[in-house]
Coordinates of all heavy atoms in Angstrom, one line a residue:
E103 N -32.7 173.0 -56.3 CA -32.2 172.0 -57.2 C -30.8 172.2 -57.4 O -30.3 173.4 -57.3 CB -33.0 172.0 -58.5 CG -34.4 171.6 -58.4 CD -35.1 171.6 -59.8 OE1 -35.5 172.7 -60.2 OE2 -35.2 170.6 -60.5
W104 N -30.0 171.2 -57.7 CA -28.6 171.4 -58.1 C -28.5 171.7 -59.6 O -29.3 171.2 -60.4 CB -27.8 170.1 -57.7 CG -27.7 169.9 -56.3 CD1 -28.2 169.0 -55.5 CD2 -26.9 170.7 -55.4 NE1 -27.9 169.1 -54.2 CE2 -27.0 170.2 -54.1 CE3 -26.1 171.9 -55.5 CZ2 -26.4 170.7 -52.9 CZ3 -25.5 172.4 -54.4 CH2 -25.6 171.8 -53.1
N105 N -27.6 172.6 -59.9 CA -27.4 173.0 -61.3 C -26.5 171.9 -61.9 O -25.3 172.1 -62.0 CB -26.8 174.4 -61.4 CG -26.7 174.9 -62.8 OD1 -26.7 174.1 -63.7 ND2 -26.8 176.2 -62.9
Y106 N -27.1 170.8 -62.4 CA -26.3 169.7 -62.9 C -25.5 170.0 -64.1 O -24.4 169.5 -64.3 CB -27.3 168.5 -63.2 CG -28.0 168.0 -62.0 CD1 -29.3 168.0 -61.8 CD2 -27.2 167.4 -60.9 CE1 -30.0 167.5 -60.7 CE2 -27.8 166.9 -59.8 CZ -29.2 167.0 -59.7 OH -29.8 166.5 -58.6
Q107 N -26.0 170.9 -64.9 CA -25.3 171.3 -66.1 C -24.0 172.0 -65.8 O -22.9 171.7 -66.3 CB -26.1 172.3 -67.0 CG -25.6 172.5 -68.4 CD -26.6 173.2 -69.3 OE1 -27.5 173.9 -68.8 NE2 -26.3 173.1 -70.5
R108 N -24.0 172.9 -64.8 CA -22.8 173.6 -64.4 C -21.9 172.7 -63.7 O -20.6 172.7 -63.8 CB -23.1 174.8 -63.4 CG -23.7 176.0 -64.1 CD -23.6 177.2 -63.3 NE -22.2 177.6 -63.0 CZ -21.9 178.5 -62.0 NH1 -22.8 179.1 -61.3 NH2 -20.6 178.8 -61.8
Q109 N -22.4 171.7 -62.9 CA -21.6 170.8 -62.2 C -20.8 169.9 -63.2 O -19.7 169.6 -63.0 CB -22.5 169.9 -61.3 CG -22.9 170.6 -60.0 CD -23.9 169.8 -59.2 OE1 -24.7 169.0 -59.8 NE2 -23.8 169.9 -57.9
L110 N -21.5 169.5 -64.3 CA -20.9 168.7 -65.3 C -19.8 169.4 -66.0 O -18.7 168.8 -66.2 CB -22.0 168.2 -66.3 CG -21.5 167.2 -67.4 CD1 -21.0 165.9 -66.7 CD2 -22.7 166.9 -68.3
L111 N -20.0 170.7 -66.3 CA -19.0 171.5 -66.9 C -17.8 171.6 -66.0 O -16.6 171.5 -66.5 CB -19.5 172.9 -67.2 CG -20.5 173.0 -68.4 CD1 -21.1 174.4 -68.5 CD2 -19.7 172.6 -69.7
K112 N -18.0 171.7 -64.7 CA -16.9 171.9 -63.7 C -16.1 170.6 -63.7 O -14.8 170.6 -63.7 CB -17.5 172.2 -62.4 CG -16.5 172.2 -61.3 CD -15.7 173.5 -61.3 CE -14.8 173.6 -60.1 NZ -14.1 174.9 -60.1
I113 N -16.8 169.5 -63.7 CA -16.1 168.1 -63.7 C -15.2 168.0 -64.9 O -14.1 167.6 -64.8 CB -17.2 167.0 -63.6 CG1 -17.9 167.0 -62.3 CG2 -16.5 165.7 -63.9 CD1 -19.1 166.1 -62.2
S128 N -16.6 170.7 -53.6 CA -16.8 171.9 -54.3 C -18.1 171.9 -55.1 O -18.7 173.0 -55.3 CB -15.6 172.1 -55.3 OG -15.8 173.1 -56.2
L129 N -18.5 170.8 -55.7 CA -19.6 170.7 -56.5 C -20.9 171.0 -55.8 O -21.9 171.4 -56.3 CB -19.7 169.4 -57.2 CG -18.7 169.2 -58.3 CD1 -18.7 167.7 -58.8 CD2 -18.8 170.1 -59.5
F130 N -21.0 170.6 -54.5 CA -22.2 170.8 -53.7 C -22.1 171.9 -52.8 O -22.1 171.8 -51.5 CB -22.5 169.5 -53.0 CG -22.9 168.3 -53.9 CD1 -22.0 167.4 -54.2 CD2 -24.2 168.3 -54.5 CE1 -22.4 166.3 -55.1 CE2 -24.5 167.3 -55.4 CZ -23.6 166.3 -55.7
S131 N -21.8 173.1 -53.4 CA -21.7 174.3 -52.6 C -22.8 175.3 -53.1 O -23.5 175.0 -54.1 CB -20.3 175.0 -52.8 OG -20.1 175.3 -54.1
E132 N -22.9 176.5 -52.5 CA -23.9 177.4 -52.9 C -23.8 177.9 -54.4 O -24.7 178.3 -55.0 CB -23.9 178.7 -52.0 CG -24.5 178.5 -50.6 CD -24.6 179.7 -49.9 OE1 -24.9 180.8 -50.5 OE2 -24.5 179.7 -48.6
E133 N -22.5 177.8 -54.9 CA -22.3 178.2 -56.3 C -23.1 177.4 -57.3 O -23.5 177.9 -58.3 CB -20.8 178.0 -56.6 CG -20.4 178.5 -57.9 CD -18.9 178.2 -58.2 OE1 -18.2 177.8 -57.3 OE2 -18.5 178.5 -59.3
Y134 N -23.5 176.2 -56.9 CA -24.2 175.3 -57.8 C -25.6 175.0 -57.4 O -26.3 174.1 -57.9 CB -23.5 174.0 -58.0 CG -22.1 174.1 -58.6 CD1 -21.0 174.2 -57.7 CD2 -21.9 174.3 -59.9 CE1 -19.7 174.4 -58.2 CE2 -20.6 174.5 -60.4 CZ -19.5 174.6 -59.6 OH -18.3 174.8 -60.1
L135 N -26.1 175.8 -56.4 CA -27.4 175.7 -55.9 C -28.4 176.6 -56.6 O -28.2 177.8 -56.7 CB -27.4 176.0 -54.4 CG -28.5 175.5 -53.5 CD1 -28.7 174.0 -53.5 CD2 -28.3 176.0 -52.1
L136 N -29.5 176.0 -57.1 CA -30.5 176.8 -57.7 C -31.6 177.0 -56.7 O -32.3 176.0 -56.3 CB -31.1 176.1 -58.9 CG -30.2 175.9 -60.1 CD1 -30.8 175.0 -61.2 CD2 -29.7 177.2 -60.7

Side-chain angles (χ1 to χ4, degrees):
E103 290 181 279
W104 291 109
N105 190 332
Y106 294 118
Q107 193 172 16
R108 284 197 66 192
Q109 287 175 324
L110 185 60
L111 285 172
K112 178 76 174 182
I113 292 171
S128 168
L129 289 174
F130 292 101
S131 62
E132 286 191 34
E133 184 181 356
Y134 299 96
L135 197 61
L136 296 174

